Amino acid sequence: QKEVEQNSGPLSVPEGAIASLNCTYSDRGSQSFFWYRQYSGKSPELIMFIYSNGDKEDGRFTAQLNKASQYVSLLIRDSQPSDSATYLCAVNRGSYIPTFGRGTSLIVHP
Amino acid sequence: GAVVSQHPSWVICKSGTSVKIECRSLDFQATTMFWYRQFPKQSLMLMATSNEGSKATYEQGVEKDKFLINHASLTLSTLTVTSAHPEDSSFYICSAHNPGPDGYTFGSGTRLTVV
């Protein structure tokens, strides 16, 4: 069974710090990896996607993928209170249906 | 690009009635759409995969006769919750596979409350 594991948190960081969110997956054939942000009562919105090993940076966000170790992480630099949300990791193999983790709740306190 | 419109955003209905939720891809054709349900503080639970022109594929434990899915065109999928009960109250979200690199686009969700 394909599984995507995330620590449910909450992860609490002070404003301006780096928030590090982690995700592990069980399917070695996974090819696409996504990070979504979901505010309470809203639907998920895509933050980053990554396909290749290594880092991918977009503004304050960096996704890191290590296929050998089967983990993908999201770093948020200069965390802001507006970053407080639940972050969902999703993984899929080609055109298969993505599998979502349970999400990590992030709290950025002033 | 790759916008998915979902309506209504919220609905309150009486127990025993049916509710229809629409999911439209506005600027791309979506041969496959997905319906999720999310209870408070829980993750997304895939209910079914909707395929244009064919029957939906339901996940284990999801009643196909209660959650009717129709995907009659390349831009529209509907979910009808039949004979709704209070335990069906939840946040329902659709998504569509889009041809871009980001893969999947979510609708804005529908908050269903059955009283």
Side-chain angles (χ1 to χ4, degrees), chain A residues 34 36 38 41-44 46 49 51 88 92 95-98 100-103, chain B residues 34 36 38 42-44 46 49 91 93 101-104 106-109 111:
Chain A
F34 307 88
Y36 291 87
Q38 186 177 26
K42 303 293 185 182
S43 68
L46 182 69
F49 59 89
Y51 299 147
L88 301 170
N92 79 349
S95 60
Y96 283 73
I97 300 166
F100 285 86
R102 294 174 62 83
Chain B
F34 306 96
Y36 295 87
Q38 187 177 39
Q42 300 292 317
S43 185
L44 299 170
L46 180 66
T49 302
F91 191 47
I93 310 172
D102 52 340
Y104 297 87
F106 283 90
S108 55
R111 174 73 59 192

PDB file of all heavy atoms in Angstrom, chain A residues 34 36 38 41-44 46 49 51 88 92 95-98 100-103, chain B residues 34 36 38 42-44 46 49 91 93 101-104 106-109 111:
ATOM      1  N   PHE A  34       4.761  16.820  -4.457  1.00  0.00           N
ATOM      2  CA  PHE A  34       4.101  18.121  -4.360  1.00  0.00           C
ATOM      3  C   PHE A  34       3.977  18.548  -2.904  1.00  0.00           C
ATOM      4  O   PHE A  34       3.788  17.722  -2.018  1.00  0.00           O
ATOM      5  CB  PHE A  34       2.686  18.045  -4.962  1.00  0.00           C
ATOM      6  CG  PHE A  34       2.636  17.501  -6.362  1.00  0.00           C
ATOM      7  CD1 PHE A  34       2.539  16.138  -6.595  1.00  0.00           C
ATOM      8  CD2 PHE A  34       2.661  18.351  -7.457  1.00  0.00           C
ATOM      9  CE1 PHE A  34       2.488  15.629  -7.883  1.00  0.00           C
ATOM     10  CE2 PHE A  34       2.607  17.857  -8.742  1.00  0.00           C
ATOM     11  CZ  PHE A  34       2.519  16.495  -8.959  1.00  0.00           C
ATOM     12  N   TYR A  36       1.513  21.183  -0.763  1.00  0.00           N
ATOM     13  CA  TYR A  36       0.345  22.049  -0.782  1.00  0.00           C
ATOM     14  C   TYR A  36       0.216  22.728   0.578  1.00  0.00           C
ATOM     15  O   TYR A  36       0.553  22.169   1.610  1.00  0.00           O
ATOM     16  CB  TYR A  36      -0.935  21.248  -1.045  1.00  0.00           C
ATOM     17  CG  TYR A  36      -1.054  20.678  -2.436  1.00  0.00           C
ATOM     18  CD1 TYR A  36      -0.508  19.436  -2.755  1.00  0.00           C
ATOM     19  CD2 TYR A  36      -1.729  21.375  -3.434  1.00  0.00           C
ATOM     20  CE1 TYR A  36      -0.624  18.910  -4.033  1.00  0.00           C
ATOM     21  CE2 TYR A  36      -1.856  20.855  -4.712  1.00  0.00           C
ATOM     22  CZ  TYR A  36      -1.300  19.625  -4.998  1.00  0.00           C
ATOM     23  OH  TYR A  36      -1.420  19.121  -6.260  1.00  0.00           O
ATOM     24  N   GLN A  38      -2.684  24.436   3.061  1.00  0.00           N
ATOM     25  CA  GLN A  38      -4.129  24.495   3.262  1.00  0.00           C
ATOM     26  C   GLN A  38      -4.433  25.306   4.510  1.00  0.00           C
ATOM     27  O   GLN A  38      -4.070  24.918   5.626  1.00  0.00           O
ATOM     28  CB  GLN A  38      -4.737  23.090   3.384  1.00  0.00           C
ATOM     29  CG  GLN A  38      -6.253  23.103   3.459  1.00  0.00           C
ATOM     30  CD  GLN A  38      -6.865  21.721   3.500  1.00  0.00           C
ATOM     31  OE1 GLN A  38      -6.240  20.764   3.937  1.00  0.00           O
ATOM     32  NE2 GLN A  38      -8.112  21.622   3.056  1.00  0.00           N
ATOM     33  N   GLY A  41     -10.437  25.636   6.590  1.00  0.00           N
ATOM     34  CA  GLY A  41     -11.676  25.898   5.875  1.00  0.00           C
ATOM     35  C   GLY A  41     -11.512  26.174   4.396  1.00  0.00           C
ATOM     36  O   GLY A  41     -12.492  26.476   3.701  1.00  0.00           O
ATOM     37  N   LYS A  42     -10.289  26.075   3.906  1.00  0.00           N
ATOM     38  CA  LYS A  42     -10.025  26.321   2.484  1.00  0.00           C
ATOM     39  C   LYS A  42      -9.484  25.063   1.827  1.00  0.00           C
ATOM     40  O   LYS A  42      -9.068  24.128   2.495  1.00  0.00           O
ATOM     41  CB  LYS A  42      -9.005  27.463   2.319  1.00  0.00           C
ATOM     42  CG  LYS A  42      -9.418  28.770   2.977  1.00  0.00           C
ATOM     43  CD  LYS A  42     -10.620  29.372   2.297  1.00  0.00           C
ATOM     44  CE  LYS A  42     -10.951  30.731   2.882  1.00  0.00           C
ATOM     45  NZ  LYS A  42     -12.167  31.322   2.253  1.00  0.00           N
ATOM     46  N   SER A  43      -9.490  25.057   0.506  1.00  0.00           N
ATOM     47  CA  SER A  43      -8.928  23.906  -0.203  1.00  0.00           C
ATOM     48  C   SER A  43      -7.420  24.090  -0.347  1.00  0.00           C
ATOM     49  O   SER A  43      -6.900  25.195  -0.205  1.00  0.00           O
ATOM     50  CB  SER A  43      -9.589  23.752  -1.573  1.00  0.00           C
ATOM     51  OG  SER A  43      -9.238  24.815  -2.411  1.00  0.00           O
ATOM     52  N   PRO A  44      -6.716  23.010  -0.609  1.00  0.00           N
ATOM     53  CA  PRO A  44      -5.254  23.099  -0.729  1.00  0.00           C
ATOM     54  C   PRO A  44      -4.829  23.937  -1.936  1.00  0.00           C
ATOM     55  O   PRO A  44      -5.495  23.944  -2.966  1.00  0.00           O
ATOM     56  CB  PRO A  44      -4.827  21.632  -0.923  1.00  0.00           C
ATOM     57  CG  PRO A  44      -5.974  20.831  -0.408  1.00  0.00           C
ATOM     58  CD  PRO A  44      -7.191  21.626  -0.710  1.00  0.00           C
ATOM     59  N   LEU A  46      -1.305  24.717  -4.319  1.00  0.00           N
ATOM     60  CA  LEU A  46       0.025  24.206  -4.618  1.00  0.00           C
ATOM     61  C   LEU A  46       1.095  25.248  -4.301  1.00  0.00           C
ATOM     62  O   LEU A  46       0.992  26.409  -4.685  1.00  0.00           O
ATOM     63  CB  LEU A  46       0.104  23.818  -6.090  1.00  0.00           C
ATOM     64  CG  LEU A  46       1.430  23.221  -6.557  1.00  0.00           C
ATOM     65  CD1 LEU A  46       1.632  21.842  -5.933  1.00  0.00           C
ATOM     66  CD2 LEU A  46       1.461  23.115  -8.084  1.00  0.00           C
ATOM     67  N   PHE A  49       6.371  21.887  -6.628  1.00  0.00           N
ATOM     68  CA  PHE A  49       6.456  20.513  -7.071  1.00  0.00           C
ATOM     69  C   PHE A  49       7.908  20.249  -7.457  1.00  0.00           C
ATOM     70  O   PHE A  49       8.636  21.152  -7.857  1.00  0.00           O
ATOM     71  CB  PHE A  49       5.509  20.224  -8.232  1.00  0.00           C
ATOM     72  CG  PHE A  49       5.743  21.073  -9.447  1.00  0.00           C
ATOM     73  CD1 PHE A  49       6.628  20.674 -10.433  1.00  0.00           C
ATOM     74  CD2 PHE A  49       5.051  22.265  -9.605  1.00  0.00           C
ATOM     75  CE1 PHE A  49       6.830  21.467 -11.561  1.00  0.00           C
ATOM     76  CE2 PHE A  49       5.251  23.059 -10.731  1.00  0.00           C
ATOM     77  CZ  PHE A  49       6.137  22.663 -11.708  1.00  0.00           C
ATOM     78  N   TYR A  51      10.549  17.036  -9.159  1.00  0.00           N
ATOM     79  CA  TYR A  51      10.635  15.738  -9.805  1.00  0.00           C
ATOM     80  C   TYR A  51      12.020  15.095  -9.642  1.00  0.00           C
ATOM     81  O   TYR A  51      12.144  13.882  -9.652  1.00  0.00           O
ATOM     82  CB  TYR A  51      10.360  15.854 -11.310  1.00  0.00           C
ATOM     83  CG  TYR A  51       9.002  16.387 -11.666  1.00  0.00           C
ATOM     84  CD1 TYR A  51       8.819  17.163 -12.806  1.00  0.00           C
ATOM     85  CD2 TYR A  51       7.892  16.126 -10.867  1.00  0.00           C
ATOM     86  CE1 TYR A  51       7.571  17.648 -13.145  1.00  0.00           C
ATOM     87  CE2 TYR A  51       6.644  16.610 -11.206  1.00  0.00           C
ATOM     88  CZ  TYR A  51       6.483  17.371 -12.343  1.00  0.00           C
ATOM     89  OH  TYR A  51       5.247  17.854 -12.673  1.00  0.00           O
ATOM     90  N   LEU A  88       0.505  19.930   3.218  1.00  0.00           N
ATOM     91  CA  LEU A  88       0.257  18.574   2.752  1.00  0.00           C
ATOM     92  C   LEU A  88       1.317  18.166   1.740  1.00  0.00           C
ATOM     93  O   LEU A  88       1.604  18.910   0.804  1.00  0.00           O
ATOM     94  CB  LEU A  88      -1.110  18.472   2.091  1.00  0.00           C
ATOM     95  CG  LEU A  88      -2.329  18.832   2.944  1.00  0.00           C
ATOM     96  CD1 LEU A  88      -3.568  18.917   2.079  1.00  0.00           C
ATOM     97  CD2 LEU A  88      -2.528  17.812   4.037  1.00  0.00           C
ATOM     98  N   ASN A  92       3.026  11.010  -6.383  1.00  0.00           N
ATOM     99  CA  ASN A  92       2.387  10.088  -7.306  1.00  0.00           C
ATOM    100  C   ASN A  92       3.394   9.477  -8.263  1.00  0.00           C
ATOM    101  O   ASN A  92       4.530   9.904  -8.389  1.00  0.00           O
ATOM    102  CB  ASN A  92       1.200  10.719  -8.026  1.00  0.00           C
ATOM    103  CG  ASN A  92       1.605  11.609  -9.180  1.00  0.00           C
ATOM    104  OD1 ASN A  92       2.773  11.939  -9.353  1.00  0.00           O
ATOM    105  ND2 ASN A  92       0.641  12.005  -9.980  1.00  0.00           N
ATOM    106  N   SER A  95       1.039   9.040 -14.017  1.00  0.00           N
ATOM    107  CA  SER A  95      -0.303   9.613 -14.095  1.00  0.00           C
ATOM    108  C   SER A  95      -1.246   9.009 -13.065  1.00  0.00           C
ATOM    109  O   SER A  95      -2.451   9.197 -13.134  1.00  0.00           O
ATOM    110  CB  SER A  95      -0.870   9.386 -15.497  1.00  0.00           C
ATOM    111  OG  SER A  95      -0.934   8.004 -15.768  1.00  0.00           O
ATOM    112  N   TYR A  96      -0.696   8.271 -12.130  1.00  0.00           N
ATOM    113  CA  TYR A  96      -1.547   7.681 -11.108  1.00  0.00           C
ATOM    114  C   TYR A  96      -2.073   8.752 -10.169  1.00  0.00           C
ATOM    115  O   TYR A  96      -1.579   9.863 -10.102  1.00  0.00           O
ATOM    116  CB  TYR A  96      -0.767   6.630 -10.305  1.00  0.00           C
ATOM    117  CG  TYR A  96      -0.596   5.318 -11.021  1.00  0.00           C
ATOM    118  CD1 TYR A  96       0.281   5.197 -12.085  1.00  0.00           C
ATOM    119  CD2 TYR A  96      -1.310   4.188 -10.636  1.00  0.00           C
ATOM    120  CE1 TYR A  96       0.445   3.999 -12.746  1.00  0.00           C
ATOM    121  CE2 TYR A  96      -1.156   2.988 -11.291  1.00  0.00           C
ATOM    122  CZ  TYR A  96      -0.280   2.892 -12.339  1.00  0.00           C
ATOM    123  OH  TYR A  96      -0.125   1.704 -12.998  1.00  0.00           O
ATOM    124  N   ILE A  97      -3.079   8.372  -9.427  1.00  0.00           N
ATOM    125  CA  ILE A  97      -3.702   9.278  -8.473  1.00  0.00           C
ATOM    126  C   ILE A  97      -2.696   9.635  -7.390  1.00  0.00           C
ATOM    127  O   ILE A  97      -2.033   8.752  -6.850  1.00  0.00           O
ATOM    128  CB  ILE A  97      -4.927   8.607  -7.841  1.00  0.00           C
ATOM    129  CG1 ILE A  97      -5.941   8.247  -8.933  1.00  0.00           C
ATOM    130  CG2 ILE A  97      -5.559   9.505  -6.782  1.00  0.00           C
ATOM    131  CD1 ILE A  97      -7.009   7.302  -8.447  1.00  0.00           C
ATOM    132  N   PRO A  98      -2.570  10.913  -7.039  1.00  0.00           N
ATOM    133  CA  PRO A  98      -1.619  11.277  -5.978  1.00  0.00           C
ATOM    134  C   PRO A  98      -2.078  10.758  -4.624  1.00  0.00           C
ATOM    135  O   PRO A  98      -3.268  10.681  -4.345  1.00  0.00           O
ATOM    136  CB  PRO A  98      -1.619  12.807  -6.023  1.00  0.00           C
ATOM    137  CG  PRO A  98      -2.940  13.172  -6.603  1.00  0.00           C
ATOM    138  CD  PRO A  98      -3.269  12.087  -7.572  1.00  0.00           C
ATOM    139  N   PHE A 100      -1.876  11.555  -0.662  1.00  0.00           N
ATOM    140  CA  PHE A 100      -1.617  12.666   0.241  1.00  0.00           C
ATOM    141  C   PHE A 100      -1.231  12.178   1.630  1.00  0.00           C
ATOM    142  O   PHE A 100      -1.760  11.179   2.124  1.00  0.00           O
ATOM    143  CB  PHE A 100      -2.860  13.556   0.367  1.00  0.00           C
ATOM    144  CG  PHE A 100      -3.095  14.431  -0.824  1.00  0.00           C
ATOM    145  CD1 PHE A 100      -3.793  13.954  -1.920  1.00  0.00           C
ATOM    146  CD2 PHE A 100      -2.606  15.730  -0.843  1.00  0.00           C
ATOM    147  CE1 PHE A 100      -3.993  14.759  -3.027  1.00  0.00           C
ATOM    148  CE2 PHE A 100      -2.810  16.545  -1.936  1.00  0.00           C
ATOM    149  CZ  PHE A 100      -3.507  16.060  -3.030  1.00  0.00           C
ATOM    150  N   GLY A 101      -0.335  12.916   2.260  1.00  0.00           N
ATOM    151  CA  GLY A 101      -0.076  12.706   3.666  1.00  0.00           C
ATOM    152  C   GLY A 101      -1.158  13.378   4.494  1.00  0.00           C
ATOM    153  O   GLY A 101      -2.023  14.079   3.964  1.00  0.00           O
ATOM    154  N   ARG A 102      -1.096  13.175   5.805  1.00  0.00           N
ATOM    155  CA  ARG A 102      -2.114  13.746   6.681  1.00  0.00           C
ATOM    156  C   ARG A 102      -1.896  15.224   6.934  1.00  0.00           C
ATOM    157  O   ARG A 102      -2.777  15.914   7.441  1.00  0.00           O
ATOM    158  CB  ARG A 102      -2.121  12.993   8.012  1.00  0.00           C
ATOM    159  CG  ARG A 102      -2.570  11.552   7.886  1.00  0.00           C
ATOM    160  CD  ARG A 102      -2.425  10.823   9.202  1.00  0.00           C
ATOM    161  NE  ARG A 102      -3.254  11.412  10.245  1.00  0.00           N
ATOM    162  CZ  ARG A 102      -4.541  11.142  10.420  1.00  0.00           C
ATOM    163  NH1 ARG A 102      -5.150  10.302   9.637  1.00  0.00           N
ATOM    164  NH2 ARG A 102      -5.216  11.723  11.389  1.00  0.00           N
ATOM    165  N   GLY A 103      -0.710  15.703   6.568  1.00  0.00           N
ATOM    166  CA  GLY A 103      -0.435  17.127   6.735  1.00  0.00           C
ATOM    167  C   GLY A 103       0.255  17.446   8.051  1.00  0.00           C
ATOM    168  O   GLY A 103       0.082  16.736   9.046  1.00  0.00           O
TER     169      GLY A 103
ATOM    170  N   PHE B  34     -11.181  14.249  -9.466  1.00  0.00           N
ATOM    171  CA  PHE B  34     -11.174  13.511  -8.216  1.00  0.00           C
ATOM    172  C   PHE B  34     -12.061  14.218  -7.196  1.00  0.00           C
ATOM    173  O   PHE B  34     -12.101  15.443  -7.145  1.00  0.00           O
ATOM    174  CB  PHE B  34      -9.742  13.421  -7.656  1.00  0.00           C
ATOM    175  CG  PHE B  34      -8.750  12.871  -8.634  1.00  0.00           C
ATOM    176  CD1 PHE B  34      -7.978  13.726  -9.406  1.00  0.00           C
ATOM    177  CD2 PHE B  34      -8.594  11.513  -8.790  1.00  0.00           C
ATOM    178  CE1 PHE B  34      -7.064  13.225 -10.322  1.00  0.00           C
ATOM    179  CE2 PHE B  34      -7.679  11.004  -9.706  1.00  0.00           C
ATOM    180  CZ  PHE B  34      -6.918  11.865 -10.470  1.00  0.00           C
ATOM    181  N   TYR B  36     -12.804  14.494  -3.106  1.00  0.00           N
ATOM    182  CA  TYR B  36     -12.271  14.230  -1.775  1.00  0.00           C
ATOM    183  C   TYR B  36     -13.271  14.701  -0.726  1.00  0.00           C
ATOM    184  O   TYR B  36     -14.081  15.591  -0.952  1.00  0.00           O
ATOM    185  CB  TYR B  36     -10.957  14.996  -1.562  1.00  0.00           C
ATOM    186  CG  TYR B  36      -9.808  14.576  -2.445  1.00  0.00           C
ATOM    187  CD1 TYR B  36      -9.630  15.140  -3.704  1.00  0.00           C
ATOM    188  CD2 TYR B  36      -8.891  13.628  -2.013  1.00  0.00           C
ATOM    189  CE1 TYR B  36      -8.564  14.766  -4.505  1.00  0.00           C
ATOM    190  CE2 TYR B  36      -7.820  13.250  -2.818  1.00  0.00           C
ATOM    191  CZ  TYR B  36      -7.669  13.817  -4.057  1.00  0.00           C
ATOM    192  OH  TYR B  36      -6.604  13.441  -4.855  1.00  0.00           O
ATOM    193  N   GLN B  38     -13.126  15.850   3.474  1.00  0.00           N
ATOM    194  CA  GLN B  38     -12.204  16.178   4.546  1.00  0.00           C
ATOM    195  C   GLN B  38     -12.988  16.570   5.785  1.00  0.00           C
ATOM    196  O   GLN B  38     -13.745  17.549   5.778  1.00  0.00           O
ATOM    197  CB  GLN B  38     -11.266  17.314   4.134  1.00  0.00           C
ATOM    198  CG  GLN B  38     -10.163  17.601   5.140  1.00  0.00           C
ATOM    199  CD  GLN B  38      -9.211  18.680   4.669  1.00  0.00           C
ATOM    200  OE1 GLN B  38      -9.620  19.665   4.063  1.00  0.00           O
ATOM    201  NE2 GLN B  38      -7.920  18.516   4.954  1.00  0.00           N
ATOM    202  N   GLN B  42      -8.606  16.569   9.728  1.00  0.00           N
ATOM    203  CA  GLN B  42      -8.211  15.325   9.092  1.00  0.00           C
ATOM    204  C   GLN B  42      -7.647  15.615   7.705  1.00  0.00           C
ATOM    205  O   GLN B  42      -7.819  16.704   7.171  1.00  0.00           O
ATOM    206  CB  GLN B  42      -9.418  14.381   8.959  1.00  0.00           C
ATOM    207  CG  GLN B  42     -10.059  14.006  10.274  1.00  0.00           C
ATOM    208  CD  GLN B  42      -9.174  13.128  11.127  1.00  0.00           C
ATOM    209  OE1 GLN B  42      -8.544  12.192  10.638  1.00  0.00           O
ATOM    210  NE2 GLN B  42      -9.096  13.451  12.408  1.00  0.00           N
ATOM    211  N   SER B  43      -6.988  14.619   7.140  1.00  0.00           N
ATOM    212  CA  SER B  43      -6.432  14.813   5.808  1.00  0.00           C
ATOM    213  C   SER B  43      -7.497  14.599   4.748  1.00  0.00           C
ATOM    214  O   SER B  43      -8.634  14.232   5.052  1.00  0.00           O
ATOM    215  CB  SER B  43      -5.277  13.847   5.591  1.00  0.00           C
ATOM    216  OG  SER B  43      -4.647  14.110   4.353  1.00  0.00           O
ATOM    217  N   LEU B  44      -7.115  14.837   3.532  1.00  0.00           N
ATOM    218  CA  LEU B  44      -8.017  14.593   2.412  1.00  0.00           C
ATOM    219  C   LEU B  44      -8.247  13.099   2.251  1.00  0.00           C
ATOM    220  O   LEU B  44      -7.297  12.323   2.258  1.00  0.00           O
ATOM    221  CB  LEU B  44      -7.401  15.126   1.124  1.00  0.00           C
ATOM    222  CG  LEU B  44      -7.113  16.616   1.055  1.00  0.00           C
ATOM    223  CD1 LEU B  44      -6.284  16.920  -0.180  1.00  0.00           C
ATOM    224  CD2 LEU B  44      -8.407  17.402   1.026  1.00  0.00           C
ATOM    225  N   LEU B  46      -9.701  10.483  -0.408  1.00  0.00           N
ATOM    226  CA  LEU B  46     -10.200  10.305  -1.766  1.00  0.00           C
ATOM    227  C   LEU B  46     -11.462   9.458  -1.731  1.00  0.00           C
ATOM    228  O   LEU B  46     -11.471   8.363  -1.172  1.00  0.00           O
ATOM    229  CB  LEU B  46      -9.133   9.640  -2.631  1.00  0.00           C
ATOM    230  CG  LEU B  46      -9.523   9.381  -4.090  1.00  0.00           C
ATOM    231  CD1 LEU B  46      -9.718  10.694  -4.837  1.00  0.00           C
ATOM    232  CD2 LEU B  46      -8.455   8.529  -4.785  1.00  0.00           C
ATOM    233  N   THR B  49     -12.744   8.563  -8.232  1.00  0.00           N
ATOM    234  CA  THR B  49     -12.128   9.143  -9.414  1.00  0.00           C
ATOM    235  C   THR B  49     -13.177   9.177 -10.507  1.00  0.00           C
ATOM    236  O   THR B  49     -13.818   8.160 -10.808  1.00  0.00           O
ATOM    237  CB  THR B  49     -10.936   8.290  -9.867  1.00  0.00           C
ATOM    238  OG1 THR B  49      -9.997   8.208  -8.796  1.00  0.00           O
ATOM    239  CG2 THR B  49     -10.269   8.891 -11.092  1.00  0.00           C
ATOM    240  N   PHE B  91     -16.383  18.745   4.402  1.00  0.00           N
ATOM    241  CA  PHE B  91     -15.847  19.631   3.382  1.00  0.00           C
ATOM    242  C   PHE B  91     -15.517  18.760   2.175  1.00  0.00           C
ATOM    243  O   PHE B  91     -14.708  17.838   2.269  1.00  0.00           O
ATOM    244  CB  PHE B  91     -14.585  20.317   3.935  1.00  0.00           C
ATOM    245  CG  PHE B  91     -14.050  21.457   3.115  1.00  0.00           C
ATOM    246  CD1 PHE B  91     -14.895  22.440   2.640  1.00  0.00           C
ATOM    247  CD2 PHE B  91     -12.703  21.555   2.825  1.00  0.00           C
ATOM    248  CE1 PHE B  91     -14.400  23.508   1.899  1.00  0.00           C
ATOM    249  CE2 PHE B  91     -12.194  22.618   2.087  1.00  0.00           C
ATOM    250  CZ  PHE B  91     -13.051  23.594   1.621  1.00  0.00           C
ATOM    251  N   ILE B  93     -14.120  18.436  -1.666  1.00  0.00           N
ATOM    252  CA  ILE B  93     -13.208  19.143  -2.556  1.00  0.00           C
ATOM    253  C   ILE B  93     -13.003  18.326  -3.827  1.00  0.00           C
ATOM    254  O   ILE B  93     -12.799  17.106  -3.751  1.00  0.00           O
ATOM    255  CB  ILE B  93     -11.827  19.374  -1.902  1.00  0.00           C
ATOM    256  CG1 ILE B  93     -11.970  19.977  -0.508  1.00  0.00           C
ATOM    257  CG2 ILE B  93     -10.950  20.266  -2.776  1.00  0.00           C
ATOM    258  CD1 ILE B  93     -10.646  20.044   0.255  1.00  0.00           C
ATOM    259  N   PRO B 101       2.768  21.192 -15.674  1.00  0.00           N
ATOM    260  CA  PRO B 101       3.762  20.517 -14.826  1.00  0.00           C
ATOM    261  C   PRO B 101       3.321  20.351 -13.385  1.00  0.00           C
ATOM    262  O   PRO B 101       3.852  19.481 -12.690  1.00  0.00           O
ATOM    263  CB  PRO B 101       4.980  21.439 -14.926  1.00  0.00           C
ATOM    264  CG  PRO B 101       4.426  22.774 -15.281  1.00  0.00           C
ATOM    265  CD  PRO B 101       3.229  22.496 -16.155  1.00  0.00           C
ATOM    266  N   ASP B 102       2.374  21.168 -12.939  1.00  0.00           N
ATOM    267  CA  ASP B 102       1.964  21.048 -11.542  1.00  0.00           C
ATOM    268  C   ASP B 102       0.965  19.940 -11.321  1.00  0.00           C
ATOM    269  O   ASP B 102       0.693  19.573 -10.187  1.00  0.00           O
ATOM    270  CB  ASP B 102       1.434  22.386 -11.030  1.00  0.00           C
ATOM    271  CG  ASP B 102       0.360  22.957 -11.928  1.00  0.00           C
ATOM    272  OD1 ASP B 102       0.285  22.560 -13.097  1.00  0.00           O
ATOM    273  OD2 ASP B 102      -0.385  23.830 -11.464  1.00  0.00           O
ATOM    274  N   GLY B 103       0.390  19.428 -12.385  1.00  0.00           N
ATOM    275  CA  GLY B 103      -0.359  18.188 -12.286  1.00  0.00           C
ATOM    276  C   GLY B 103      -1.810  18.274 -11.869  1.00  0.00           C
ATOM    277  O   GLY B 103      -2.682  17.821 -12.586  1.00  0.00           O
ATOM    278  N   TYR B 104      -2.074  18.817 -10.699  1.00  0.00           N
ATOM    279  CA  TYR B 104      -3.432  18.759 -10.169  1.00  0.00           C
ATOM    280  C   TYR B 104      -3.858  20.120  -9.659  1.00  0.00           C
ATOM    281  O   TYR B 104      -3.111  20.807  -8.979  1.00  0.00           O
ATOM    282  CB  TYR B 104      -3.517  17.723  -9.036  1.00  0.00           C
ATOM    283  CG  TYR B 104      -3.215  16.331  -9.515  1.00  0.00           C
ATOM    284  CD1 TYR B 104      -1.913  15.860  -9.561  1.00  0.00           C
ATOM    285  CD2 TYR B 104      -4.232  15.507  -9.985  1.00  0.00           C
ATOM    286  CE1 TYR B 104      -1.634  14.610 -10.056  1.00  0.00           C
ATOM    287  CE2 TYR B 104      -3.957  14.248 -10.468  1.00  0.00           C
ATOM    288  CZ  TYR B 104      -2.652  13.803 -10.507  1.00  0.00           C
ATOM    289  OH  TYR B 104      -2.376  12.563 -11.000  1.00  0.00           O
ATOM    290  N   PHE B 106      -6.991  22.099  -7.541  1.00  0.00           N
ATOM    291  CA  PHE B 106      -8.120  21.891  -6.650  1.00  0.00           C
ATOM    292  C   PHE B 106      -9.188  22.951  -6.856  1.00  0.00           C
ATOM    293  O   PHE B 106      -8.893  24.114  -7.152  1.00  0.00           O
ATOM    294  CB  PHE B 106      -7.664  21.947  -5.188  1.00  0.00           C
ATOM    295  CG  PHE B 106      -6.976  20.701  -4.722  1.00  0.00           C
ATOM    296  CD1 PHE B 106      -5.597  20.562  -4.841  1.00  0.00           C
ATOM    297  CD2 PHE B 106      -7.705  19.659  -4.175  1.00  0.00           C
ATOM    298  CE1 PHE B 106      -4.966  19.413  -4.428  1.00  0.00           C
ATOM    299  CE2 PHE B 106      -7.077  18.494  -3.747  1.00  0.00           C
ATOM    300  CZ  PHE B 106      -5.703  18.371  -3.873  1.00  0.00           C
ATOM    301  N   GLY B 107     -10.437  22.521  -6.669  1.00  0.00           N
ATOM    302  CA  GLY B 107     -11.521  23.479  -6.564  1.00  0.00           C
ATOM    303  C   GLY B 107     -11.476  24.131  -5.190  1.00  0.00           C
ATOM    304  O   GLY B 107     -10.677  23.740  -4.329  1.00  0.00           O
ATOM    305  N   SER B 108     -12.332  25.099  -4.979  1.00  0.00           N
ATOM    306  CA  SER B 108     -12.308  25.860  -3.731  1.00  0.00           C
ATOM    307  C   SER B 108     -13.013  25.142  -2.585  1.00  0.00           C
ATOM    308  O   SER B 108     -12.958  25.594  -1.446  1.00  0.00           O
ATOM    309  CB  SER B 108     -12.934  27.235  -3.942  1.00  0.00           C
ATOM    310  OG  SER B 108     -14.235  27.091  -4.478  1.00  0.00           O
ATOM    311  N   GLY B 109     -13.676  24.027  -2.879  1.00  0.00           N
ATOM    312  CA  GLY B 109     -14.303  23.249  -1.823  1.00  0.00           C
ATOM    313  C   GLY B 109     -15.740  23.651  -1.561  1.00  0.00           C
ATOM    314  O   GLY B 109     -16.162  24.778  -1.838  1.00  0.00           O
ATOM    315  N   ARG B 111     -18.537  23.357   1.619  1.00  0.00           N
ATOM    316  CA  ARG B 111     -18.839  23.003   3.014  1.00  0.00           C
ATOM    317  C   ARG B 111     -20.296  22.573   3.075  1.00  0.00           C
ATOM    318  O   ARG B 111     -21.199  23.380   2.871  1.00  0.00           O
ATOM    319  CB  ARG B 111     -18.612  24.207   3.930  1.00  0.00           C
ATOM    320  CG  ARG B 111     -19.041  24.002   5.377  1.00  0.00           C
ATOM    321  CD  ARG B 111     -18.108  23.099   6.120  1.00  0.00           C
ATOM    322  NE  ARG B 111     -16.741  23.629   6.124  1.00  0.00           N
ATOM    323  CZ  ARG B 111     -15.689  22.933   6.496  1.00  0.00           C
ATOM    324  NH1 ARG B 111     -15.820  21.682   6.888  1.00  0.00           N
ATOM    325  NH2 ARG B 111     -14.485  23.483   6.466  1.00  0.00           N
TER     326      ARG B 111
END
